[in-house]
């Protein structure tokens, strides 16, 4: 039997490089992202204009580079999927940004000639007669590509590229791409703004520690081009300068904090020198960018779009500590709150606890000193670091180098950083109040000509409705008489809907104020649990070490205790993580697709104690492993799942069935995903299928919470509550906002309730 195999025509490279990559700016961005994937800590990009052709582009990084074997297997192979098999980078554990194996052909979009120079370090092991020995060597490969040689009609594998490989005993790993010879120059100011915006999130990486990998030192991008005023720009500094404000503070020898803030809307740099109160940490310095809440708050919105800002908050936000120039973990990690900012936000701290700051706030126009910190941003909304050195006596690193000893010196360092941040936040509150006043003034000026006088804000809707009624009657009279009645009826009904909605909104706002006070306790609880999680992890590690020193039954018993402690830690960690996703710790409004089974499993784990205490059987085996939902916001998906599961849990417990069961099924549809949640609980009468989605109707049958109170353990009362009547209403709003639907169905046999959710 004859055998056949595919070949690739050279025309494909043109399709990949010139058509798939739409502009030179996109091409450059893709190539810089590749350096991030290669574990570079910095990349330098130089763009030099050339006469009558495209600019010469040099991209140089200090990443891991490639060996000759890697060049052959990965660089020279089209569409290789090795990054999908290894989704994180080798050295620092970074989440890989590329996966298709075609990004390197962006080089062709920038020019017809490419010189690849890549150096990788290798440990060469050999054996002599006595022992195994080894040494490091540096392998450098240089290859030149002439894209014009890849002509349509020729197979790619038939075209050779010239190159050499050398070995040296010393060197430096990294990769350099030199690209030139394009037919025309396509660079421009708008293009560079795109490049800066796309790379802003990566360049905001100020370093992080990931389990099982070396400490990530961060990622710097330097751009040198004529459009950038002829000087190299450190994109990380550009990001900080693009935020709402740049805050710097340093301590002089007397312990005075000299603070400066350059922020939008403040008309120049503000400065302040404190009283001498931080002498124990004299010499400490702070530099932060204060991320904007909206694009309009950014000083350079061309760099900080809403999408970029949310990426920075989620991935790289937080205040780090650099000790003698090196990052000290865990300060600035995703769940770290060493400055107690999130804790104070959780307890709704309004008044500055420092008397000097309180007095300063009282002197500011439009600022309420007793409530000035209520507009405080989350810990992740600050990007930057505090620099300290070993010259600060009694600032003692822990033995395991994970943080400093919590003594009075460290607490003073915290007080210094919070003093500067709280001082800046007073100015931010002033900025917020000033902006609100400006918007209110615009609204009053806009409505004044209509009503011929000023209108109090609580009278705006009634006055506007009255005005519209009179205008409707005047306009309707111009219509044919046969149409007047129906037109007036329809328009007046619209006005009634506006008035009714306004009244309902006021009622809902009153209720949400109470809900907000409950969320305050949630934030405080989550913050405290973070400390518990860290303690449990450290305790488990110590007990594990101790168990290895024992023997026999004692060692086995202690190992079981270690397992229980770690299980408790993981359960707490999952709950706190979920609090961050659907609560106030994580701001992420990016629409994404999510693996449904993973999301369901994680949501179910949040109820693990309840499931165990009441013997509830939760079956999600019929969710296909390849099923994705979205695009939607992660917090939206978990809000839907947690509310539906919570209702099912309460129903099966209230029913008192000896075998409480919940089943979760999912199927792919032509236009989305169908999810059904079934339970053998109390069930829901058909007449209430719509009522349960009405706000503030928690238990239309009046049976659920009475039975739940009789059958549930007293200690679980705080979990089940009495119902706000908002859960299913919120779920329906979320689902419909994503063009989905939720409804109750008549359940199949052996089940008492069935909720169907359709998502994109």
């Amino acid at each position: 039997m004859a055998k056949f195999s595919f070949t690739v025509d050279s025309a494909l490279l043109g399709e990949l490089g010139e058509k798939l990559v739409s502009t030179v700016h996109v091409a450059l961005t893709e190539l810089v992202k590749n350096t991030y994937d290669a574990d570079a800590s910095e990349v330098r990009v130089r763009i030099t204009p050339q006469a009558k052709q495209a600019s010469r582009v040099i991209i140089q990084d200090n990443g891991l580079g490639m060996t000759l074997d890697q060049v052959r297997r990965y660089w020279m192979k089209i569409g290789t999927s090795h990054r999908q098999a290894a989704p994180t980078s080798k050295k620092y554990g970074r989440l890989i940004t590329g996966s298709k194996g075609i990004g390197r052909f962006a080089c062709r979009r920038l020019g017809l000639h490419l010189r690849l120079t890549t150096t990788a370090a290798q440990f060469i092991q050999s054996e002599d007669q006595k022992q195994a020995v080894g040494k490091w060597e540096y392998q450098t490969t240089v290859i030149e590509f002439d894209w014009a040689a890849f002509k349509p009609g020729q197979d790619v594998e038939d075209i050779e590229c010239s190159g050499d490989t050398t070995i040296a005993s010393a060197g430096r790993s990294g990769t350099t791409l030199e690209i030139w010879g394009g037919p025309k120059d396509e660079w421009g100011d708008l293009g560079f703004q795109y490049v800066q915006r796309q790379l802003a999130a990566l360049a905001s990486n100020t370093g992080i520690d990931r389990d099982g990998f070396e400490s990530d030192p961060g990622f710097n991008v330097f751009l040198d081009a004529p459009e950038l005023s002829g000087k190299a720009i450190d994109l990380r500094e550009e990001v900080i300068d693009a935020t709402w404000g740049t805050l710097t503070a340093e301590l002089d020898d007397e312990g005075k904090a000299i603070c400066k803030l350059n922020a939008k809307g403040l008309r120049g740099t503000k400065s302040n020198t404190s009283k001498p109160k931080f002498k124990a940490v004299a010499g400490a310095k702070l530099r932060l960018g204060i991320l904007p809440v909206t694009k309009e708050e950014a000083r350079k919105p061309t760099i900080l779009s809403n999408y970029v800002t949310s990426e920075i908050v989620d991935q790289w936000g937080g205040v780090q500590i650099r000790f003698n120039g090196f990052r000290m973990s865990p300060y600035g990690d995703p769940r770290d709150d060493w400055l107690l900012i999130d804790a104070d936000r959780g307890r709704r701290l309004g008044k500055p606890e420092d008397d000097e700051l309180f007095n300063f706030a009282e002197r500011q126009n439009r600022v309420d000193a007793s409530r000035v910190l209520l507009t405080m941003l989350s810990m992740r909304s600050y990007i930057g670091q505090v620099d300290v050195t070993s010259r600060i006596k009694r600032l003692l690193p822990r033995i395991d180098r994970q943080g400093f000893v919590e003594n009075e010196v460290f607490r003073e360092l915290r007080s210094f950083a919070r003093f500067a941040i709280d001082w800046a936040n007073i100015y931010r509150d002033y900025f917020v109040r000033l902006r609100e006043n400006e918007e209110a003034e615009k609204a009053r000026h806009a409505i004044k000509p209509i009503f011929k006088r000023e209108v109090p804000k609580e009278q705006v809707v009634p006055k506007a409705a009255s005005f519209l009624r009179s205008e409707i009657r005047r306009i309707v009279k111009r219509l044919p008489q046969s149409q007047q009645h129906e037109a007036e009826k329809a328009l007046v009904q619209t006005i009634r809907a506006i008035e009714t909605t306004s009244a309902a909104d006021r009622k809902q706002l009153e209720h949400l104020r109470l809900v907000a006070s409950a969320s305050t306790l949630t934030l405080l609880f989550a913050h405290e649990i973070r400390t518990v999680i860290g303690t449990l992890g450290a305790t488990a590690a110590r007990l594990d070490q101790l168990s290895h020193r024992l023997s026999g039954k004692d060692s086995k018993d202690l190992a079981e205790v270690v397992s229980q402690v770690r299980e408790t830690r993981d359960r707490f960690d999952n709950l706190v993580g979920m609090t961050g996703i659907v609560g106030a710790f994580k701001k992420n409004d990016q629409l994404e697709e999510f693996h449904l089974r993973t999301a369901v499993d994680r949501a179910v784990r949040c109820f693990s104690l309840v499931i165990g205490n009441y013997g509830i059987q939760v079956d999600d085996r019929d969710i296909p492993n390849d099923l994705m939902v979205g695009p939607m916001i992660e917090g939206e998906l978990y809000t839907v799942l947690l509310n539906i599961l919570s209702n099912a849990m309460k129903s099966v417990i209230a029913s008192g069935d000896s075998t409480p069961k919940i089943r979760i099924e999912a199927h792919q549809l032509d236009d989305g995903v169908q999810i059904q949640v079934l339970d053998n609980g109390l069930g829901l009468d058909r007449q209430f299928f719509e009522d349960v989605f009405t706000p503030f109707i928690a238990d239309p049958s009046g049976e659920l919470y009475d039975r739940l109170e009789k059958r549930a353990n007293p200690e679980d009362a705080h979990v089940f509550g009495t119902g706000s009547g908002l859960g299913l209403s919120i779920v329906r709003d979320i689902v419909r906002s994503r063009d989905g639907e939720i409804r109750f169905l008549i359940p199949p046999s052996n089940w008492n309730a069935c909720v169907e959710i359709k998502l994109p």
Side-chain angles (χ1 to χ4, degrees):
M1 180 180 292
K3 295 183 179 180
F4 301 87
S5 61
F6 284 103
T7 59
V8 178
D9 192 283
S10 295
L12 177 63
L13 300 189
E15 296 292 322
L16 294 175
E18 297 173 14
K19 296 183 180 179
L20 188 63
V21 181
S22 57
T23 69
V24 291
H25 316 99
V26 173
L28 180 62
T29 301
E30 290 300 313
L31 294 173
V32 174
K33 286 182 178 180
N34 285 348
T35 71
Y36 177 83
D37 294 344
D39 282 322
S41 61
E42 72 174 41
V43 57
R44 296 182 178 273
V45 179
R46 178 177 299 172
I47 301 174
T48 308
Q50 305 291 308
K52 299 181 180 180
Q53 60 180 344
S55 296
R56 190 181 191 92
V57 178
I58 299 177
I59 303 169
Q60 184 177 23
D61 71 66
N62 64 346
L64 295 178
M66 292 179 286
T67 64
L68 176 61
D69 179 62
Q70 290 170 330
V71 170
R72 293 186 186 279
R73 287 194 295 133
Y74 303 142
W75 179 271
M76 301 297 296
K77 186 175 182 180
I78 300 172
T80 178
S81 60
H82 73 283
R83 285 179 174 172
Q84 295 177 347
T88 57
S89 65
K90 180 179 179 181
K91 188 175 183 181
Y92 301 134
R94 295 170 176 171
L95 188 64
I96 295 297
T97 62
S99 61
K100 304 295 188 301
I102 58 176
R104 73 198 68 125
F105 296 108
C107 297
R108 178 160 179 162
R109 192 66 181 77
L110 299 174
L112 293 177
H113 299 279
L114 162 67
R115 181 183 296 115
L116 165 69
T117 304
T118 184
T119 301
Q122 294 187 101
F123 187 75
I124 306 301
Q125 190 166 349
S126 59
E127 294 186 3
D128 60 17
Q129 296 180 350
K130 296 182 179 180
Q131 60 181 350
V133 296
K135 63 178 181 178
W136 284 97
E137 67 177 26
Y138 292 83
Q139 187 182 75
T140 299
T141 300
V142 181
I143 308 176
E144 294 206 3
F145 299 83
D146 180 4
W147 298 119
F150 291 81
K151 298 178 180 179
Q154 290 181 284
D155 292 344
V156 169
E157 56 267 34
D158 292 338
I159 302 173
E160 295 183 349
C161 302
S162 60
D164 293 296
T165 299
T166 58
I167 304 286
S169 59
R172 179 184 178 188
S173 65
T175 298
T176 300
L177 301 176
E178 298 177 67
I179 309 166
W180 70 96
K184 60 180 180 179
D185 206 328
E186 301 179 54
W187 299 99
D189 289 338
L190 292 178
F192 277 105
Q193 290 174 4
Y194 170 87
V195 170
Q196 289 177 293
R197 186 165 59 250
Q198 290 296 307
L199 299 178
L202 289 179
S204 301
N205 174 5
T206 53
I208 194 171
D209 287 338
R210 302 179 181 89
D211 291 342
F213 297 93
E214 293 185 30
S215 179
D216 188 342
F219 186 68
N220 291 292
V221 182
F222 299 89
L223 296 176
D224 184 356
E227 289 78 2
L228 301 177
S229 304
K231 63 178 181 180
I233 291 183
D234 182 346
L235 196 54
R236 184 183 296 168
E237 291 301 310
E238 282 286 288
V239 169
I240 292 178
D241 290 340
T243 59
W244 172 77
T246 302
L247 170 65
T248 61
E250 59 182 32
L251 292 173
D252 63 14
D253 294 339
E254 297 179 4
K256 296 178 182 178
I258 304 169
C259 306
K260 295 182 180 180
L261 175 65
N262 182 7
K264 186 171 184 176
L266 299 185
R267 298 187 180 92
T269 300
K270 303 298 181 182
S271 60
N272 178 67
T273 301
S274 74
K275 296 177 181 179
K277 58 178 70 177
F278 309 110
K279 194 165 185 178
V281 289
K285 296 181 180 180
L286 173 148
R287 177 173 168 80
L288 301 175
I290 304 172
L291 289 164
V293 175
T294 64
K295 179 181 177 180
E296 289 70 27
E297 290 184 4
R299 286 173 290 170
K300 295 182 181 179
T302 55
I303 293 178
L304 284 188
S305 64
N306 291 339
Y307 165 76
V308 171
T309 300
S310 66
E311 285 286 294
I312 293 172
V313 168
D314 290 339
Q315 295 187 40
W316 311 122
V319 182
Q320 299 181 356
I321 297 181
R322 299 274 168 168
F323 183 55
N324 292 332
F326 294 94
R327 180 171 180 257
M328 178 69 77
S329 295
Y331 310 114
D333 283 351
R335 295 182 182 176
D336 171 69
D337 186 29
W338 73 278
L339 290 175
L340 306 181
I341 288 175
D342 287 333
D344 286 344
R345 292 178 74 235
R347 65 189 179 101
R348 300 288 290 166
L349 176 67
K351 176 182 176 181
E353 296 179 336
D354 185 289
D355 291 338
E356 185 178 347
L357 287 177
F358 179 77
N359 295 333
F360 173 78
E362 282 196 314
R363 297 194 298 269
Q364 305 307 308
N365 187 28
R366 303 183 187 280
V367 169
D368 181 351
S370 63
R371 300 172 59 83
V372 70
L373 297 185
L374 291 177
T375 54
M376 184 187 303
L377 301 173
S378 70
M379 182 72 167
R380 306 294 291 169
S381 294
Y382 300 92
I383 175 171
Q385 63 201 48
V386 175
D387 286 294
V388 294
T389 70
S390 52
R391 293 179 181 177
I392 299 177
K393 298 179 180 179
R394 301 194 63 234
L395 184 62
L396 307 174
R398 296 182 183 274
I399 295 176
D400 59 3
R401 310 299 293 179
Q402 294 296 302
F404 293 100
V405 176
E406 283 261 356
N407 57 20
E408 65 276 11
V409 176
F410 179 78
R411 288 189 286 271
E412 189 165 306
L413 179 67
R414 175 190 289 137
S415 297
F416 155 63
R418 275 300 300 268
F419 179 90
I421 291 173
D422 290 350
W423 171 76
N425 200 79
I426 293 171
Y427 273 119
R428 176 166 174 79
D429 187 75
Y430 167 77
F431 165 76
V432 171
R433 304 305 167 201
L434 188 65
R435 187 179 56 182
E436 289 175 348
N437 184 70
E438 290 173 351
E439 291 174 354
E441 284 296 320
K442 289 179 182 178
R444 281 195 291 270
H445 282 299
I447 206 169
K448 186 176 179 180
I450 298 176
F451 299 128
K452 305 295 190 293
R453 61 188 177 88
E454 298 287 344
V455 178
K457 63 180 182 179
E458 64 273 9
Q459 289 296 315
V460 169
V461 171
K463 291 289 184 183
S466 176
F467 170 78
L468 289 173
R469 279 195 177 91
S470 64
E471 287 297 296
I472 287 169
R473 294 189 186 98
R474 182 176 63 83
I475 294 171
V476 165
K477 288 179 181 178
R478 299 179 182 178
L479 297 174
Q481 190 169 5
S482 60
Q483 300 177 16
Q484 288 183 8
H485 177 71
E486 288 301 321
E488 182 175 1
K489 179 181 177 182
L491 292 171
V492 169
Q493 285 178 339
T494 303
I495 301 301
R496 288 202 190 104
I498 293 173
E499 292 176 310
T500 304
T501 302
S502 176
D505 286 346
R506 285 197 298 272
K507 179 183 177 183
Q508 191 160 351
L509 180 61
E510 292 170 357
H511 193 90
L512 289 176
R513 288 186 182 123
L514 299 177
V515 175
S517 64
S519 70
T520 297
L521 296 178
T522 303
L523 291 170
L524 279 172
F525 174 77
H527 173 74
E528 294 298 328
I529 288 296
R530 284 175 173 168
T531 303
V532 174
I533 291 170
T535 302
L536 287 173
T539 301
R542 294 190 185 103
L543 290 175
D544 193 30
Q545 292 175 353
L546 184 58
S547 70
H548 291 302
R549 299 177 187 174
L550 302 175
S551 60
K553 187 175 183 300
D554 291 337
S555 176
K556 184 178 180 181
D557 290 345
L558 193 54
E560 291 179 359
V561 172
V562 170
S563 177
Q564 293 171 2
V565 171
R566 284 178 172 156
E567 182 180 342
T568 303
R569 178 202 60 188
D570 292 343
R571 190 166 63 247
F572 283 165
D573 194 44
N574 182 55
L575 285 171
V576 171
M578 191 65 72
T579 303
I581 291 173
V582 302
F585 289 114
K586 181 178 180 182
K587 180 183 180 296
N588 183 3
D589 55 2
Q590 180 182 353
L591 299 181
E592 299 180 64
E593 290 189 357
F594 300 96
H595 187 247
L596 181 59
R597 175 177 281 281
T598 299
V600 169
D601 287 345
R602 187 171 182 186
V604 169
R605 284 202 304 273
C606 291
F607 298 94
S608 57
L609 277 181
V610 174
I611 290 171
N613 289 341
Y614 296 93
I616 301 173
Q617 298 177 12
V618 181
D619 180 6
D620 63 357
R621 290 173 296 179
D622 281 347
I623 300 178
N625 281 325
D626 60 348
L627 207 55
M628 305 292 289
V629 293
M632 63 193 304
I633 296 170
E634 187 177 18
E636 293 176 336
L637 175 59
Y638 283 109
T639 297
V640 170
L641 294 176
L642 290 173
N643 272 285
I644 298 301
L645 285 171
S646 174
N647 289 340
M649 299 279 178
K650 287 185 281 190
S651 181
V652 296
I653 293 171
S655 73
D657 192 290
S658 59
T659 310
K661 294 185 293 185
I662 298 172
R663 182 181 179 85
I664 308 161
E665 303 174 349
H667 308 281
Q668 182 75 54
L669 303 176
D670 291 339
D671 58 348
V673 174
Q674 179 190 68
I675 305 169
Q676 288 192 347
V677 181
L678 305 101
D679 68 69
N680 64 344
L682 289 179
L684 183 67
D685 194 284
R686 188 171 185 175
Q687 64 177 315
F688 299 127
F689 277 11
E690 278 299 315
D691 291 346
V692 291
F693 294 105
T694 304
F696 311 117
I697 297 181
D699 182 13
S701 68
E703 296 182 2
L704 175 64
Y705 287 98
D706 288 342
R707 294 196 181 190
L708 196 60
E709 185 176 358
K710 296 176 182 178
R711 302 188 189 281
N713 301 326
E715 61 269 21
D716 293 330
H718 66 285
V719 176
F720 302 132
T722 57
S724 66
L726 287 174
L728 285 176
S729 172
I730 291 170
V731 167
R732 174 172 274 187
D733 287 344
I734 290 172
V735 171
R736 286 181 171 177
S737 73
R738 300 301 169 204
D739 296 326
E741 190 53 81
I742 179 172
R743 59 177 179 166
F744 276 83
L745 302 176
I746 297 175
S749 59
N750 300 324
W751 298 100
N752 296 331
C754 177
V755 183
E756 180 185 79
I757 310 157
K758 291 184 179 179
L759 290 173

